[in-house]
Structures are given as structure tokens and as C-alpha cells.
Amino acid sequence: MKVLKIDHLGIAVNSIEDGKNFWSDVLGLEFEGAETVQEQKVTTAFFPVGESEVELLESTAPDGPVAKFIEKKGQGFQHVAFRVENIEEALAELKEKGIKLIDETPRIGAGGAKIAFLHPKATGGVLVELCQR
Ligand code: ZN
């Protein structure tokens, strides 16, 4: 499989409205606007940084994955996303290598990207997302 670059870093926040100040006002990153992905019970906000982006994640429901993450670990760094050339190919290759996947087939994430998560148990504790745009 071909990993092209770090696409974005996902950061879990209680509130994008409160959380975005550091990224936009202090660091001066451009706020690209927020988007809700209902299926994932999350609202995301993207801040482009060079070739990559910072993604803030706010849960839309108490039982959503981001809410559960914050409940366990608190706000902060949640996942790293790598852009791949072909996500189906990448998932097939990882499966063949015995890597535990959260998503065996890609789903549609923010911005219409195809995304899939690998299980942190297979990556040394880091939640890894693959995405193809
Ligand atoms: Zn992400």
C-alpha cells in the first residue's frame, strides 16, 4: 500500500466553539468551517496546516465514539489519519498481515472522504485512520 502523507490529526474537544480559539486565534490557523457526520455522532472542524490539517471532533450524542473517548481519556489527541492512494487495497493488505481493523470496509467521513480505522491494539496504542480523498 502507498501512504501519501499525514492527512490530519484528530483532536477530541467538548466544544468546537470553545476549543477552536487556540487553533484559530492563538496559532492563527484558518477555520474552514464545521460539518456534522450524523452516522458517527460527531461534528468536525478542519484547520488546514500546510499539506495537512487539524481536525477538531465534538460529539453530538453522549453515546458517540468521541464522547466515550473523552469520558475515558479526557479531551486531547485522538487519532492520526494517513492519506492512502487506494483505501480498499490498503485494508486488504493490512487484513492479510493480520492487523486488527475497526472498519473492514471504508465508510464516508467528513468532506466525503473514504475512511477506515485500525484498532489501537494493532498499532501500539494509537488510533490510526486511513483516508482516501
Ligand atoms: Zn479523522
Side-chain angles (χ1 to χ4, degrees), residues 8-10 46 55 57 79 81 115 117 129:
H8 63 270
L9 300 173
F46 280 95
E55 173 187 39
L57 304 147
H79 68 269
I115 65 166
F117 285 93
E129 173 187 340

Side-chain angles (χ1 to χ4, degrees), residues 80-99:
V80 58
F82 293 104
R83 190 181 295 192
V84 294
E85 211 167 62
N86 183 321
I87 196 166
E88 282 89 0
E89 228 172 75
L91 289 172
E93 188 181 324
L94 291 168
K95 217 170 154 181
E96 204 178 285
K97 288 177 175 166
I99 299 297

